Structures are given as C-alpha cells and as structure tokens.
Amino acid sequence: METGSTSSRPPGSEALARRVRSEERPRRGFEYVEGWGMAMGAESRVWRPESADEVAEVFRRSRQSGRCLALRGAGRSYGDASINDRGDVLDISAMNRVLSFDEATGIADCEAGVTIRDLWRHSLPRGYWPKVVSGTMFPTLAGAAGMNIHGKNNYKVGTIGDAILEIDMVLPDGTFITVDRERRPELFHAAIGGFGMLGAITRVKIGTKKIHSGEIDVAGISVPNLGAMMDYVDAHTGTADYLVGWLDCFGRGEDLGRGLIHHARYLEPGEDPEAERTLTLAHQHLPGSIMGFPKGEVWRILKLVSHDPGMRLLNFTKHQMGKLEQRKGWYRQSHAAFNFLLDFVPNWKFAYGRKPGHGLIQYQVFLPKESALAGFTEIIGRQQKRGHTSYLGVLKRHRPDPFLLTHAMDGWSIAMDFAVTPKNRESLWATTDELTRVVLDHGGRFYFAKDAVIGPKTVEAMFDAEKLSAFRALKFQLDPGEMLQTNLWRRAFGPVETFTAPA
Ligand SMILES: Cc1cc2nc3c(=O)[nH]c(=O)nc-3n(C[C@H](O)[C@H](O)[C@H](O)COP(=O)(O)OP(=O)(O)OC[C@H]3O[C@@H](n4cnc5c(N)ncnc54)[C@H](O)[C@@H]3O)c2cc1C
C-alpha cells in the first residue's frame, strides 16, 4: 500500500533545547510539562481548576488571550498527548473527589481528576473493583476516558468507555453539558477516546464490578514462541477473566515471541474464606522492597542493564524464570499486585536515563486477528535487523467497541518500549516509520496514549474515512478556532492553524 511518509519527524534539538532541568529553571509562571516517557516535553503555563466553573473560566481566558490549551490528567500518556509547546495546559487532577458510590449497584460518580487508584481504594472495601484498569493505577478518569484505555481483560469487557455511563463536559465555548448513550450520543462516543480535543470532561459516572475477594487466582504459562502464546490466549478467552502475555523481543527464529502468559480469574462467592480481610486496603499493599532492595532504588539497578546486551540477558532470564513460575501452578495475588505490576518499581522509567534527550517511547500496534501473527512476526524481525529491539513486549487480545476513534479491534496488540537517546533518535524514528508501514499493510492501527511517532498520513490510513471526517466535523463545530490543541493533535492531525484571540 502506498502511504507516503507515515511518520512525523522526531522531536529534535529544538524541543530538547527547551528541556528544563533544575539548573535551568522554567520561565517565571511556567512549568516544564513532559510526557511520561520523558522523551518529549515543553514549558507551559499550567492551570489547575478545582471546579467545572473554574474550567470554564480557564477556557474563557484562553479564548480571550488567544493562547491554545492542552488538557492534561496525570500525564501518564507516554508521548505528547498532554503537552503543548505552543500554549497553556489545563491540569484536571485537583478535581479529585468521589462524589457518591452506590453500594447496591457499584456505580461511582466522580470528579474527572479522580485516579484509578482513588477509585479502587474507594470501591474495594465495599466489595467492588473497577471494570477496566491500566497497567498503572495513576491515570485520572478524565485521561482514561480521553484515551479510552483498556486493560488485560479488553477481549472480555471492552474498553473503559464501555463501563462509563455518563460524563459532564465543559465545551470550548464555555457551555456545560451532560452526555451519555441517549443524550448527545455522537458526542459521548467521540469524546471518549477523543484525546481531549472536543471539551473538558469534568465528571464521570462509571460502573464497577462486584468481587467476592480481595484476591484473584493467577497462573503463569511459559510459551516457546508467539504462535503458541496466541493459541493459548485464543483457547481461553471464553473462560479467563484476564489474559496478558509478556514476550522477549530478542528471541529469534523458533524462539521469536517466547514468553510468559498470565491467566487470571475472579473468585466466586465462598472461595475465599478470608474475604473480609482480603477486601481491606491493607491487604492490597504493594511490597516496600524487591529481592531485599528498597523498591524506590530498584531503577538504579535496572539502569545498569539498560543497554542491548543487558536487556537481552534480562529478557532471557525472565523467560527462564517463567518456566519455574509455571511449575507453581495456580496462586493467589491481591488485585493491586496483579493489575499494577509496573507500579511495583517506582520510577522504573529512570532506568532509561534522565539526561535531556533520553527516555523511552512506547509503540503499541494493533492488528486484526487474521493478520496478527504474520504482522507481529515481521515487526519483531525488522526491529531486530535494524538494531532497535524493544526492551519490553506485552501482548493483549482486544475486541471492537462503539467509540468513534477507538484503537480497539477484533484483534491483538503488542506494546513495545524503545529506549531513546539523542544519538539513536533519528534512526529509531526511521525504524518506527518502517514498522508503521508494515502495520498499515496488515490493516492495523495505533493508540494515541502510547504513540509518539505517527503522522497525518498514518491517521488517514488507519481510520475509516467517514469516522475521521465525523470527528473533524465535531471538532470544527465545537471548537472552530482550535483552542484545544496538544503536540499530538498538531503532529498527527496537522497542519493546524495557530489559535488567535478574536479581533
Ligand atoms: C506504566 C504505564 C502503564 C500503562 N498501561 C496501560 C494499559 O494497560 N492500558 C492502557 O490503555 N493504557 C495504559 N497506559 C496509558 C495510560 O493509561 C493513558 O495514557 C491514560 O490516558 C493516562 O491518563 P492520564 O490521567 O495520565 O492522562 P494524560 O496522559 O494526562 O492525558 C491523556 C489524554 O486525555 C486528555 N485529557 C486529559 N484531561 C482531560 C479532560 N479533563 N477532558 C478530556 N480529555 C482530557 C489529554 O488531552 C490526553 O489526550 C499506561 C501508562 C503507563 C505510564
């Protein structure tokens, strides 16, 4: 397929030059706001409203001043989804109250800055767990809805949008609106997954799932390659509550895609004789040390192996340990320990380096089920050939959902972490450009929460043309001057006119 140039250029020296470190303080009244992967960021004024009225006031000021505005939750998107090198940032995280929780139905009514952590800590002692969580507990509900996040159970329960019942928004012109599947359904389905381009979500009403224990049954299944991993997952989607595969992207030939699957299931009533105890917050506590090391310092050890030979060895060792884990059979883990593995090691991203220009990008590719095995095999093979092997690979099974620009499909994804350095930046972007063409040739898609590289041609190729123009029409209707912008929007949907104050 002829796609032309599918990528954007790497954020280059200009963006890096703006990177502010302690010795280089931001301008007065400005903050350095970065993507979670640290590879991109910008200096901005940051507004932290505490109510929907204050959100509307920030919008009014932006309209008047002509400074464009990016919406931001907890800043857990890896790339440039909530940064804005041409204007201000509205950070929703101060709106963080759980307004009500119905213990009969498990429906939570929350301000949009409530995090997934706040939500499960509120719901768990009442016998409920969020239906959809990401691999980290720190995203806000606003950011989670803005990206329409998925969990390790996407194939079974859909994305977080499927669990959301209603949202309040402040539109760019200052209008307050409540939308759901009946009231302005087109806006509900576009704003969820609309990456903050249509208005600010200020309240989220969301369903949670009844649970009968604070623990979950888990089994580790070691697999010799990608085909075996996908066969296992496909054979268990009907019965498992969660399925996720870790894969060693250094494996080649017969070993390509070797790894470890985690298969988990909720406990039925009565299966946990100590449910009262396990449903306490104390039982969800993540350990303070890992193999004797204080967990806050573990990233320093990871840093020592954060290069190709080290990561090859680490992945190999993990694969061997997976074989031992399989021998354990089923074991029990708290919900927090199972779901938020990545939060075990605080600041693990620092292992990728903290100097300007260093960091990581995550590149999550979605392929339809028919072409997934062939496409992933090609993608992993090509990155190895080009000398940019992903240090971490995570496989998930997905299902379609009704949201306008959704990333989810009846297929699979692999999320891959690539180290970024000032030296490898150009060649890494050239590699992802090549991989992007493979993804598009196989009918695949990308996910904006994990993206830092794709350009407008890719966006046009990956979405249905009608859906894309419906989204653009809604953006034009609600935000004709494009007051709401992020670096992601300009990179992947550009060119964008400079937002200016009315004459
Ligand atoms: C370690 C780690 C693991 C992760 N695992 C997963 C995973 O398993 N599954 C998954 O799907 N994602 C995962 N993610 C990605 C993360 O869940 C998403 O990027 C999520 O959107 C982050 O939420 P946030 O609150 O940090 O929002 P931000 O990253 O700050 O913003 C996300 C988007 O929401 C928009 N937005 C922010 N506030 C509002 C608002 N008030 N109204 C409307 N739009 C708004 C922003 O403009 C932006 O486009 C992971 C991230 C990390 C760092």
Side-chain angles (χ1 to χ4, degrees):
M1 181 179 27
E2 178 51 60
T3 56
S5 170
T6 50
S7 81
S8 69
R9 285 192 46 75
S13 50
E14 196 198 329
L16 293 182
R18 277 201 293 269
R19 186 159 183 167
V20 179
R21 285 286 169 248
S22 48
E23 69 278 13
E24 192 194 329
R25 297 223 172 273
R27 283 173 286 159
R28 205 179 150 84
F30 285 70
E31 294 175 31
Y32 187 72
V33 182
E34 68 183 0
W36 195 84
M38 306 174 300
M40 46 210 66
E43 227 180 77
S44 291
R45 273 198 197 88
V46 182
W47 304 94
R48 294 192 171 82
E50 293 182 12
S51 66
D53 284 339
E54 288 186 12
V55 171
E57 175 58 18
V58 176
F59 279 13
R60 190 188 62 74
R61 284 189 207 190
S62 286
R63 285 196 308 273
Q64 249 180 11
S65 68
R67 275 196 310 275
C68 67
L69 187 68
L71 302 178
R72 183 171 173 94
R76 251 56 186 187
S77 295
Y78 279 76
D80 52 1
S82 57
I83 63 176
N84 186 8
D85 63 11
R86 289 200 202 152
D88 294 357
V89 169
L90 184 158
D91 173 339
I92 201 80
S93 56
M95 291 181 64
N96 58 3
R97 289 175 304 152
V98 176
L99 301 170
S100 70
F101 189 89
D102 183 337
E103 298 201 13
T105 59
I107 294 173
D109 202 0
C110 305
E111 288 185 331
V114 162
T115 62
I116 290 171
R117 178 178 187 272
D118 298 332
L119 179 60
W120 74 255
R121 288 177 69 83
H122 196 90
S123 67
L124 181 112
R126 295 167 172 83
Y128 292 91
W129 184 256
K131 290 181 178 169
V132 174
V133 299
S134 44
T136 173
M137 63 174 101
F138 298 110
T140 61
L141 292 181
M147 284 301 181
N148 195 19
I149 66 162
H150 60 264
K152 302 170 179 62
N153 52 0
N154 190 209
Y155 63 91
K156 184 160 183 163
V157 304
T159 43
I160 200 165
D162 287 305
I164 293 178
L165 303 169
E166 176 181 291
I167 55 179
D168 279 356
M169 296 177 72
V170 179
L171 300 180
D173 68 359
T175 309
F176 297 86
I177 187 168
T178 302
V179 297
D180 60 19
R181 289 172 179 77
E182 268 90 48
R183 288 168 291 179
R184 299 280 317 255
E186 85 297 352
L187 180 52
F188 178 77
H189 289 101
I192 292 178
F195 47 99
M197 286 303 105
L198 302 177
I201 299 170
T202 52
R203 186 181 63 92
V204 177
K205 196 183 219 187
I206 187 167
T208 60
K209 182 186 163 47
K210 183 82 193 145
I211 48 172
H212 307 284
S213 169
E215 296 192 325
I216 190 160
D217 263 351
V218 185
I221 293 94
S222 174
V223 285
N225 55 45
L226 185 59
M229 187 177 284
M230 293 171 77
D231 285 346
Y232 181 94
V233 171
D234 260 343
H236 293 85
T237 48
T239 50
D241 289 313
Y242 296 93
L243 287 163
V244 63
W246 161 81
L247 51 109
D248 170 7
C249 293
F250 286 92
R252 287 169 185 263
E254 291 285 288
D255 295 333
L256 189 139
R258 65 187 170 194
L260 180 68
I261 297 163
H262 280 118
H263 173 162
R265 68 164 198 97
Y266 292 113
L267 300 184
E268 297 295 332
E271 273 193 275
D272 178 5
E274 294 195 78
E276 211 173 300
R277 184 179 64 81
T278 60
L279 282 167
T280 59
L281 294 181
H283 191 73
Q284 303 296 315
H285 187 66
L286 300 179
S289 66
I290 298 168
M291 290 154 80
F293 296 102
K295 64 179 185 180
E297 300 302 315
V298 168
W299 68 267
R300 292 181 200 280
I301 298 159
L302 285 178
K303 192 166 188 326
L304 299 175
V305 290
S306 193
H307 43 71
D308 282 4
M311 282 293 160
R312 180 189 298 275
L313 179 66
L314 195 71
N315 275 273
F316 175 78
T317 311
K318 188 166 159 54
H319 178 54
Q320 299 307 321
M321 285 170 67
K323 294 179 186 167
L324 295 179
E325 183 175 333
Q326 173 157 1
R327 289 208 205 134
K328 270 202 316 197
W330 287 92
Y331 59 95
R332 286 196 180 166
Q333 257 189 318
S334 71
H335 291 277
F338 173 74
N339 280 291
F340 307 123
L341 184 70
L342 291 167
D343 295 337
F344 263 98
V345 185
N347 293 326
W348 58 264
K349 63 179 181 176
F350 291 166
Y352 284 90
R354 299 174 71 185
K355 289 199 207 113
H358 292 255
L360 75 150
I361 57 168
Q362 193 170 84
Y363 180 74
Q364 184 169 7
V365 301
F366 289 71
L367 293 181
K369 62 180 190 300
E370 295 77 15
S371 60
L373 180 57
F376 291 146
T377 303
E378 192 174 345
I379 285 165
I380 295 171
R382 283 196 191 217
Q383 57 181 261
Q384 291 174 345
K385 260 198 212 124
R386 293 197 60 134
H388 285 289
T389 305
S390 162
Y391 288 174
L392 176 72
V394 176
L395 178 93
K396 288 182 191 142
R397 184 74 168 90
H398 301 274
R399 76 173 199 198
D401 63 45
F403 300 95
L404 192 58
L405 293 192
T406 188
H407 55 279
M409 54 168 65
D410 185 5
W412 302 77
S413 74
I414 298 188
M416 293 167 282
D417 286 2
F418 294 102
V420 180
T421 66
K423 232 164 118 188
N424 82 358
R425 214 167 250 256
E426 285 287 337
S427 86
L428 176 59
W429 257 253
T431 300
T432 55
D433 200 10
E434 182 179 319
L435 302 184
T436 296
R437 275 191 285 273
V438 177
V439 173
L440 295 180
D441 285 348
H442 284 87
R445 255 182 228 163
F446 296 87
Y447 176 27
F448 295 129
K450 310 289 189 74
D451 171 57
V453 298
I454 65 172
K457 289 227 161 64
T458 299
V459 167
E460 271 162 35
M462 76 188 197
F463 288 121
D464 182 270
E466 253 176 56
K467 290 188 174 175
L468 199 54
S469 47
F471 187 82
R472 285 188 189 279
L474 211 45
K475 172 79 175 162
F476 185 72
Q477 181 202 333
L478 300 175
D479 188 17
E482 302 200 45
M483 176 186 80
L484 294 177
Q485 295 187 21
T486 55
N487 281 28
L488 164 68
W489 172 251
R490 292 188 289 266
R491 166 171 64 80
F493 286 77
V496 172
E497 295 292 320
T498 309
F499 178 62
T500 48

